Amino acid sequence: MKILGIETSCDETGVAIYDSEQGIIGDALYSQVELHAEYGGVVPELASRDHVRKTIPLVKEVLKQANCTKDDIDAIAYTKGPGLIGALFVGVGVGRSLAYAWGIPAIGVHHMEGHLLAPMLEDDKPDFPFVALLVSGGHTLLVDVQELGQYQILGESIDDAAGEAFDKTAKIMGLGYPGGPALAKLAEKGRAGIYKLPRPMTDRPGLDFSFSGLKTAVANLYNGSDKSEQSMADIAYAFQEAVVDTIFIKCRRALEQTGHKRLVVAGGVSANVALRAKLTDLLESKGGKAYYPRPKFCTDNGAMIAYAGYCRHQAILNGQDQFEEPAVRAKPRWPIVELS
């Protein structure tokens, strides 16, 4: 079975084909980073227009890459939400239209479920149940995952997501857009112990996150510094260390609370080297294991949507789910716990 996946929830156009026997056989991604860099962040209208220009050409590219025609595709999966409403509608419209024209099913996929399942694309994949840390520019969630569709949110960010905090902090420090990777790279030159920043909400019980105060603390540090290259690196190091420590503490609590020995880490921030190292050590110390997608599948991509669509299609065939009515609908706000 071959599933074509389409991702257009924000500023990256991703298209891929998942084959149930061979895995990902075609994958293409177009990033709008250069388009939005001039504005210091994503401009929703520009994002939507660029998806219109890129989606169909990427579908053609991936079909050619996989040596397939439309007759080889069994279903189309597209990101239904959450995300930017205009950007979502491009993927929903293209996915639904192609499925109708090709006479095959269309499946609306939850963007965060796509991230959650992305590590399943690796050779070493986790078994259910597990704790999932979904950490990106738009979301920071800890989820108790029993099986496909059985999700309980253990904790989430009450303000800025971790990735958003990285980008906003980088902007404060004048590191450009997207700032998260630039800040992480700068932190590699920083020195430990020069600055000490708070670990938000770790001094109280619970698994929720808050990163907006940390961002403000960095702004105060930066404005009071000499703004030299070394000072900038030391501040970046302190910020990254604070975020990683905060996530580490919350993950440790989540594992203790659930009793699970497996941790899935996905989303754009899951590519952060310091975060991976600390969480891997945590799981190994508990006799468990941490699972991650390969770096190219950490950020938004079509492969995770194609695979999530395949899982949903199998659930439908097994009578555990059903096809939705053929309508062009997007859900910019869509809690993951609403999934069946």
Side-chain angles (χ1 to χ4, degrees):
M1 174 171 284
K2 294 182 177 63
I3 308 290
L4 175 72
I6 299 173
E7 156 62 25
T8 64
S9 66
C10 190
D11 62 338
E12 285 163 320
T13 314
V15 180
I17 296 174
Y18 176 78
D19 185 302
S20 57
E21 296 182 358
Q22 303 177 66
I24 297 299
I25 58 174
D27 175 44
L29 182 71
Y30 174 78
S31 174
Q32 301 176 2
V33 165
E34 291 185 10
L35 174 66
H36 300 290
E38 179 182 350
Y39 306 96
V42 177
V43 181
E45 178 63 21
L46 295 180
S48 304
R49 291 173 182 270
D50 220 34
H51 287 310
V52 170
R53 285 190 288 267
K54 299 297 182 181
T55 305
I56 291 297
L58 286 183
V59 170
K60 293 179 178 178
E61 178 183 333
V62 165
L63 286 170
K64 183 177 180 181
Q65 193 181 115
N67 196 27
C68 293
T69 70
K70 63 182 180 60
D71 298 325
D72 297 311
I73 304 301
D74 297 289
I76 295 178
Y78 58 86
T79 302
K80 184 178 178 180
L84 301 175
I85 184 64
L88 288 170
F89 264 125
V90 178
V92 175
V94 171
R96 278 279 168 194
S97 299
L98 287 178
Y100 179 78
W102 296 353
I104 57 177
I107 303 163
V109 169
H110 193 289
H111 179 76
M112 297 311 292
E113 184 171 64
H115 276 304
L116 186 151
L117 295 173
M120 303 291 189
L121 292 169
E122 306 305 317
D123 292 334
D124 184 15
K125 59 190 71 175
D127 294 321
F128 296 109
F130 53 77
V131 170
L133 169 67
L134 306 178
V135 57
S136 65
H139 302 83
T140 301
L141 291 172
L142 275 169
V143 187
D144 183 355
V145 180
Q146 292 297 319
E147 59 179 86
L148 181 71
Q150 290 192 16
Y151 309 132
Q152 178 188 357
I153 294 179
L154 302 171
E156 59 189 322
S157 180
I158 62 175
D159 43 53
D160 290 351
E164 185 179 8
F166 263 94
D167 287 338
K168 287 182 176 179
T169 299
K171 189 173 183 179
I172 289 170
M173 297 173 65
L175 298 180
Y177 174 85
L183 191 147
K185 186 172 182 61
L186 180 61
E188 294 175 2
K189 302 176 183 177
R191 298 169 294 177
I194 303 300
Y195 297 108
K196 183 70 174 178
L197 290 169
R199 275 58 173 163
M201 297 183 71
T202 58
D203 58 350
R204 67 190 78 175
L207 295 171
D208 286 337
F209 300 88
S210 172
F211 294 108
S212 63
L214 184 58
K215 177 188 63 185
T216 303
V218 170
N220 293 333
L221 265 184
Y222 174 72
N223 291 331
S225 74
D226 60 9
K227 298 181 177 58
S228 66
E229 183 177 347
Q230 188 59 60
S231 292
M232 295 264 285
D234 292 338
I235 293 171
Y237 181 95
F239 170 79
Q240 177 173 264
E241 184 182 45
V243 172
V244 169
D245 280 353
T246 300
I247 293 174
F248 169 86
I249 291 168
K250 299 290 184 173
C251 286
R252 183 175 60 195
R253 288 181 186 175
L255 292 165
E256 291 170 352
Q257 180 176 313
T258 61
H260 296 328
K261 295 292 186 181
R262 290 179 287 271
L263 176 69
V264 161
V265 188
V269 182
S270 70
N272 184 280
V273 175
L275 179 63
R276 286 195 177 208
K278 191 139 190 173
L279 292 179
T280 297
D281 289 345
L282 169 64
L283 270 295
E284 289 179 353
S285 71
K286 292 181 172 294
K289 189 168 184 179
Y291 298 84
Y292 311 90
R294 71 197 75 169
K296 68 179 289 189
F297 292 157
C298 288
T299 54
D300 296 349
N301 62 86
M304 69 182 192
I305 301 304
Y307 180 75
Y310 167 74
C311 293
R312 285 286 164 183
H313 191 271
Q314 292 300 108
I316 292 168
L317 295 181
N318 293 331
Q320 299 169 300
D321 203 350
Q322 59 185 1
F323 288 114
E324 57 187 335
E325 60 183 25
V328 178
R329 292 177 181 163
K331 299 184 74 170
R333 296 185 182 277
W334 191 8
I336 196 170
V337 292
E338 291 183 1
L339 292 173
S340 60

